Amino acid sequence: MRALAERLGGRVGLHRWRGLPVARRRQILTPVLIGIGLVFPFAAGNAGNVDAAANAFTYVLLALGLNIVVGFAGLLDLGYAAFFAIGAYGYGIAASGQLKPGWSSLWAPLEWAGQVSRLAVPGQPETVQFHFSFWPMLAVTAIICAIFGMLFGAPTLRLRGDYLAIVTLGFGEIVPVVARNWDELTNGAQGLGGIHTPKLFGFDFGFSPYPYYFLGLGLVAVAVWISIRLQESRVGRAWMAIREDELAAGAMGVNHVHYKLLAFAMGAAVGGLAGTFYVAKLTTATPDMFTFPVSVMVLVMVVLGGLGSIRGVVLAALFVALLQSVILQDLTEYVHALGRLVGSPFLQRVELITSLELIFGLILVLMMIFRREGLWPAVRRVSALTREQQAAAPARGAAVRLSWARPEPAGGPARPLLLIEGLTKRFGGVSAAADITLGVRAGELVSVIGPNGSGKTTLFNLITGLMRPDGGSIRLEGQMIGGLPSHEIVARGVARTFQNIRLFNNLSVLENLLVGEHARLEAGVLGAILRLPRVRAEERRAVVSALEVLEIFGNRLLPRLDHPVYGLSYANRRRTEIARAIMTRPKLLLLDEPAAGMNPAETLELMDLIKALRGLGITIILIEHKLDVVMDVSDRVVVLDHGVKIAEGAPAQVRSDERVIEAYLGRRRRAA
C-alpha cells in the first residue's frame, strides 16, 4: 500500500507540474539548472570531467544553431560544419601571427586600441601583428558567419528536401578544402597555432578548463535564451510555418525568401560563436577539425533531441558529446576487461571510439523508424477536453463581431474592389484561364462555380500570387497585384483558404491564427530577442485578436486553443483555416470549398457565418459545389468551364442559363 501511495503521489506531482503555465515552470527551472551548472565543476572531482563538459558546450552551441535552420525553419543543412570552420578560422587568423599585412596609417586606430602591433624588422617593410581580443571577435565572427550564411543560403532558396541537402553538403565540403589549400591565410594542412587565449580584466584563461567551462556555460545560456525568444515570436512562427507548409506560409503573408535567409544567417552566427570558443580553448585550428562527420554529429543531436525542441537539442547534444569523449572510452575499458575475463582476443581489441560514425548512423536510422519526433519533442502536452467542451451542437444566427471590420454596403463604391481583365493562364496546350474578365464590388458575395477542372482554383491561385498569369491584369482598389508575390498580396488585403486544407499541422490552433496575423505585425529579430514593451504589447494585441476570431466559432475551437491542429476533426480543421484567413484582416476573402466534408447542419451554420462576415464589410468570393447553398447566399454567381467564363449574373438567372445547365448541371445529372 505504501508503494502504491508513493506511486500515486508521484503521478499527482507530475500532473501538477504539467498543469503549471510554461512561464511558471521556466521561473522554477531556470535558477535550478543554472545552479547545477555552476556547482558542477566543484563536484566533478577532476579537471578532465570539467574539460569534457567545456568541450560539450561547443557542440550544444552548434546543435542550437543548427536547430534554428533545421528544427525551426525545416531547411535540411548537411554542411553546417562550414560555419563552425569560418568562425574558428576567423578568430584564429585575428589572434595569431599567421597573417602579416603591410603597415599603413589605417592600422593606427587598432594599434591605439591594443588590437594590433607594428613589427619593424631592419631592412624589411613594416608589417602588422594581429592579436585581436577574444570578446569583440565573438561578435565579429558571428557577423561574418551570418553574412556567409546568407551567401550560402541564397542559391538554395528554391530548393527543398534532398536537393537542398546536396547543395549544403557541397558548401560544407568547400570550406575545409579552401582552408587546406590557402596557405597564406590558413597555413594549409598544418593549420593555425599559437592562437591567443581569452583574457578578462587581466586574467588569462590559459589552459585551465575551469574558465572555459564557465564561459561555455554562459554562451549556452545566452543561446538558449535567444532560441526561446525567437521560437515564441513572430519570427519563430514564420520559420515554423515555412517548415510546415511553405506555400501556405506565403499565402499568410510570410516572405519565405527573407525568413529562409534569416534562418541561415542566425544559425550560421551561432555556429561562428561555437567555432570562436572552440579554437580559443584549443589554441589551434586545422582543416580536419571541420569535416563532414562534424555536420553529421550535430545533425544527430538535433534529430535525437527533437526537431525544434530546445530542451531536447541541449540534452541530446550533451549526451552525444559526452558519448564521444567519455562514455565510449569508459565502455571500451569495460569491454576489454570482459574480454580478459572470458579470454576473448576479439573483445580485448575492440575500440568503440573508432565506430563513432557507425553509431551516429544507427541513431539516425532508429530515430527515423521508431521516433521521428525525437526523444523530447517540441509538441506540448494538452489536457483532455471535458464533456461540456466537447459538446458543440450546430447553432445558427450567432452574432459575429470583429473590432477592426468596417461594414460596407453591398455593391458599395462604383469602382470595383477587385477588377480582373483578360486573365490568361496556360499549362502547355491546356488553357486553365482563358481571357477571364470579372469585377467584384466591395461588400459583395460572389460565388464561382463550374465542373471539376473548370479553372476555379486556378483563378484563386492567380489572384493570390501562387501562380503568375500569362496575360491580363488583376487590380485591387485600382492597384495592380497580378504577378506580385503572395506575401505582398496578403499585406494588401487578400486572404484565402485552400481546396485541400493547408494548415501548419504541428502548430496549435492559436499559433496557426497568429501566423495569419503575421503581415499586420512588425517585430523583427532584435525585437523578438529583446522583447521590448512595444513588442510585448504587439503580441498581446495579436493574441486578443486571435481570441476574438475564435469566439466566432464558439465551442468548436475555443476549448482547443492549445491543441495541435493535426488532432482536430476535419470540420474543425476547415474552421481553423477560415479563422486563420480572417486573422489577416482581409478586404477580400477567397474561400475554396469551405463546406467540403461538413454535414448539412454544419454547412448551414458555416454559410450563416459567411453571410455575417460579408455583413461586416469583408468582400467574399466563394467556390462551392453545393449548389443549393451557393444560390442561397450569393449576390452574383460566375460560372467557369474549361477556363472560360460562360455565365455571370444573379443566382436565379444563372440557374436557368442553358449554357450552365449543359456545362455543369446537365453533366452532373448524366453522371448520376
Side-chain angles (χ1 to χ4, degrees):
M1 290 296 293
R2 182 177 180 181
L4 178 61
E6 290 177 353
R7 184 179 300 178
L8 290 175
R11 289 182 178 178
V12 170
L14 183 61
H15 180 73
R16 287 180 178 176
W17 172 256
R18 288 174 176 170
L20 291 175
V22 174
R24 179 57 180 160
R25 278 187 271 174
R26 284 182 186 156
Q27 290 174 353
I28 297 171
L29 279 177
T30 300
V32 171
L33 293 176
I34 292 176
I36 293 172
L38 293 175
V39 169
F40 172 79
F42 306 102
N46 62 71
N49 291 335
V50 177
D51 185 67
N55 290 333
F57 287 147
T58 301
Y59 293 100
V60 174
L61 286 172
L62 289 171
L64 287 169
L66 186 60
N67 191 47
I68 293 175
V69 182
V70 179
F72 290 174
L75 305 171
L76 182 55
D77 187 350
L78 293 182
Y80 189 67
F83 307 117
F84 186 32
I86 292 171
Y89 273 99
Y91 176 66
I93 293 168
S96 69
Q98 173 62 25
L99 194 63
K100 293 184 174 64
W103 174 263
S104 73
S105 58
L106 296 176
W107 296 104
L110 290 175
E111 182 186 29
W112 175 83
Q115 304 300 305
V116 301
S117 300
R118 186 191 310 191
L119 292 181
V121 178
Q124 295 184 9
E126 292 182 334
T127 58
V128 178
Q129 171 72 54
F130 288 169
H131 44 79
F132 283 89
S133 172
F134 171 81
W135 306 104
M137 285 305 299
L138 274 175
V140 171
T141 53
I143 293 171
I144 292 173
C145 287
I147 294 171
F148 273 99
M150 289 188 287
L151 292 176
F152 286 1
T156 69
L157 291 176
R158 295 183 179 273
L159 302 178
R160 298 285 294 179
D162 299 340
Y163 300 102
L164 174 63
I166 291 170
V167 173
T168 56
L169 174 61
F171 288 143
E173 291 299 299
I174 288 171
V175 171
V177 170
V178 171
R180 188 174 290 109
N181 290 278
W182 198 345
D183 293 340
E184 295 81 6
L185 186 66
T186 65
N187 200 30
Q190 296 181 19
L192 300 174
I195 298 172
H196 295 169
T197 55
K199 294 181 180 179
L200 183 63
F201 302 118
F203 172 73
D204 192 334
F205 281 26
F207 296 96
S208 170
Y210 290 92
Y212 293 103
Y213 172 88
F214 290 110
L215 173 60
L217 180 64
L219 290 175
V220 167
V222 171
V224 168
W225 176 71
I226 290 174
S227 294
I228 292 173
R229 285 293 179 91
L230 288 174
Q231 186 180 39
E232 298 176 351
S233 70
R234 173 178 180 261
V235 174
R237 291 191 297 268
W239 281 335
M240 290 183 283
I242 291 172
R243 178 193 70 197
E244 297 294 319
D245 190 327
E246 185 176 323
L247 187 144
M252 291 299 107
V254 176
N255 183 347
H256 71 92
V257 172
H258 172 78
Y259 283 98
K260 282 184 178 181
L261 290 178
L262 184 60
F264 277 116
M266 292 297 297
V270 178
L273 289 177
T276 302
F277 169 73
Y278 195 56
V279 299
K281 180 177 180 297
L282 296 183
T283 69
T284 184
T286 63
D288 293 335
M289 294 163 55
F290 312 104
T291 53
F292 177 64
V294 175
S295 295
V296 173
M297 182 168 69
V298 179
L299 181 62
V300 167
M301 296 170 182
V302 175
V303 172
L304 181 63
L307 295 175
S309 171
I310 297 171
R311 61 179 180 180
V313 165
V314 171
L315 293 173
L318 288 172
F319 169 73
V320 173
L322 295 176
L323 176 72
Q324 175 187 231
S325 61
V326 177
I327 298 174
L328 286 182
Q329 294 181 10
D330 291 345
L331 285 177
T332 299
E333 294 180 4
Y334 294 142
V335 171
H336 289 173
L338 178 62
R340 290 191 296 269
L341 181 64
V342 300
S344 171
F346 171 75
L347 292 179
Q348 295 180 49
R349 293 195 303 269
V350 167
E351 294 293 338
L352 294 177
I353 194 65
T354 61
S355 304
L356 193 61
E357 284 78 10
L358 174 62
I359 294 171
F360 291 158
L362 288 174
I363 291 175
L364 284 175
V365 170
L366 293 174
M367 292 301 297
M368 290 298 99
I369 294 175
F370 297 107
R371 195 170 174 85
R372 295 182 182 181
E373 68 273 20
L375 296 179
W376 300 277
V379 177
R380 295 183 294 273
R381 294 177 180 268
V382 293
S383 57
L385 298 178
T386 64
R387 183 171 299 179
E388 292 75 15
Q389 290 173 328
Q390 294 181 52
R396 302 188 62 185
V400 175
R401 298 181 183 86
L402 293 172
S403 58
W404 50 266
R406 297 292 179 267
E408 184 83 43
R415 176 186 293 179
L417 175 70
L418 177 72
L419 180 60
I420 300 172
E421 295 180 313
L423 189 63
T424 303
K425 181 65 181 179
R426 287 184 170 273
F427 298 98
V430 178
S431 180
D435 196 28
I436 296 176
T437 296
L438 174 65
V440 180
R441 292 189 176 90
E444 273 194 304
L445 198 164
V446 177
S447 290
V448 179
I449 65 172
N452 290 331
S454 60
K456 304 183 295 297
T457 297
T458 299
L459 175 63
F460 274 20
N461 290 340
L462 292 169
I463 294 172
T464 56
L466 299 184
M467 293 180 182
R468 294 183 65 88
D470 296 329
S473 64
I474 306 172
R475 289 183 170 84
L476 182 74
E477 296 183 317
Q479 300 295 317
M480 181 71 74
I481 63 171
L484 291 179
S486 57
H487 66 272
E488 291 188 20
I489 294 176
V490 174
R492 297 190 183 203
V494 180
R496 69 167 297 173
T497 64
F498 293 87
Q499 181 180 12
N500 298 315
I501 299 173
R502 305 191 75 137
L503 291 170
F504 309 122
N505 285 328
N506 288 300
L507 303 187
S508 68
V509 172
L510 177 61
E511 288 168 334
N512 268 268
L513 266 64
L514 291 177
V515 173
E517 184 89 346
H518 179 88
R520 310 303 170 197
L521 304 178
E522 298 178 354
V525 172
L526 287 179
I529 294 173
L530 299 178
R531 203 68 64 88
L532 298 173
R534 177 181 62 82
V535 176
R536 292 199 298 269
E538 183 181 76
E539 284 289 306
R540 285 194 297 270
R541 288 195 300 270
V543 172
V544 169
S545 179
L547 293 175
E548 182 183 49
V549 172
L550 287 174
E551 285 179 0
I552 295 174
F553 299 88
N555 216 32
R556 305 283 194 181
L557 295 181
L558 268 175
R560 298 164 176 83
L561 185 71
D562 295 321
H563 288 225
V565 297
Y566 65 73
L568 300 181
S569 67
Y570 186 86
N572 278 338
R573 287 165 60 82
R574 279 283 179 196
R575 295 183 182 99
T576 302
E577 190 177 39
I578 295 170
R580 186 183 66 181
I582 295 172
M583 281 292 293
T584 66
R585 304 186 182 186
K587 301 172 185 175
L588 175 64
L589 179 60
L590 311 180
L591 300 175
D592 196 343
E593 299 188 33
M598 294 187 178
N599 61 40
E602 291 172 333
T603 299
L604 292 175
E605 180 185 11
L606 178 62
M607 290 304 144
D608 284 349
L609 169 62
I610 291 173
K611 288 190 286 187
L613 292 174
R614 189 267 304 271
L616 292 176
I618 300 175
T619 306
I620 297 173
I621 303 179
L622 172 69
I623 294 176
E624 187 53 63
H625 283 295
K626 298 177 180 179
L627 296 184
D628 52 342
V629 172
V630 168
M631 299 302 173
D632 180 56
V633 303
S634 305
D635 297 319
R636 282 189 296 133
V637 177
V638 176
V639 186
L640 299 181
D641 186 31
H642 292 92
V644 178
K645 186 178 78 171
I646 62 172
E648 178 181 358
Q653 177 185 352
V654 169
R655 186 192 294 270
S656 60
D657 192 297
E658 290 295 331
R659 291 171 299 176
V660 176
I661 295 173
E662 172 62 26
Y664 187 80
L665 299 179
R667 293 181 187 179
R668 185 176 177 185
R669 288 172 182 168
R670 283 198 296 269

